[in-house]
Amino acid sequence: MQMSNPKTSTYQEMPSMMRMNLTTVLRIILAILVMLILWSGIKVVEQTQLRHQVHIDIRKLNVEIEDLQTEEQRLMIEQQTFSATPQVASRAVSELGMFFPTGENRRVLPPAANPVDVSEKGQGDE
């Protein structure tokens, strides 16, 4: 009779109880692997959704940046217009001889006794 060495035993030579334990362990490992695959799939979907949301937010912020840049340019033009007003006044005085009216150059007119409606007067003139 040949004695088998326990180190070189095969799956068929194992007792049935050990085979059941090994089968149960393999099934548990397989179940864990399946759950990990499902979990990683869910995480991929979550990351994709997050990436899409961030892309949408970036596009909205880019549109807002463009609107703010347009508003800034408009305000700069307006500022330049207002800063040019004193230059226009000084050139009007120096080059055209215009002046700001003083007290003796002003005249206050009293309102008319019978005010005329402008719309009525305009219709009668035609």
Side-chain angles (χ1 to χ4, degrees):
M1 275 217 245
Q2 197 178 17
M3 248 181 165
S4 75
N5 188 354
K7 293 181 182 177
T8 60
S9 64
T10 61
Y11 182 74
Q12 281 103 14
E13 292 175 356
M14 287 185 186
S16 64
M17 187 61 129
M18 284 183 79
R19 276 188 271 171
M20 275 181 145
N21 287 340
L22 183 62
T23 305
T24 305
V25 168
L26 290 175
R27 286 183 181 173
I28 290 172
I29 291 173
L30 181 62
I32 290 171
L33 289 175
V34 167
M35 287 191 306
L36 288 174
I37 289 170
L38 290 174
W39 176 78
S40 68
I42 290 171
K43 289 300 177 182
V44 166
V45 169
E46 287 176 356
Q47 288 297 314
T48 303
Q49 179 62 29
L50 180 63
R51 184 179 63 84
H52 284 280
Q53 187 60 44
V54 168
H55 181 70
I56 289 169
D57 292 343
I58 288 173
R59 284 189 2 215
K60 286 179 183 177
L61 289 173
N62 282 337
V63 168
E64 187 176 344
I65 285 173
E66 290 174 4
D67 291 344
L68 289 172
Q69 287 173 340
T70 303
E71 179 70 13
E72 179 186 28
Q73 290 173 354
R74 187 190 64 77
L75 290 172
M76 289 182 77
I77 291 171
E78 185 176 334
Q79 180 186 16
Q80 290 171 355
T81 302
F82 286 136
S83 67
T85 303
Q87 293 172 356
V88 170
S90 66
R91 288 182 72 184
V93 171
S94 64
E95 294 178 15
L96 300 176
M98 301 174 94
F99 60 92
F100 289 103
T102 59
E104 60 190 41
N105 297 13
R106 294 184 191 161
R107 192 180 335 163
V108 178
L109 300 174
N114 292 329
V116 177
D117 188 10
V118 176
S119 63
E120 290 176 7
K121 184 175 182 178
Q123 290 174 359
D125 290 343
E126 293 176 9

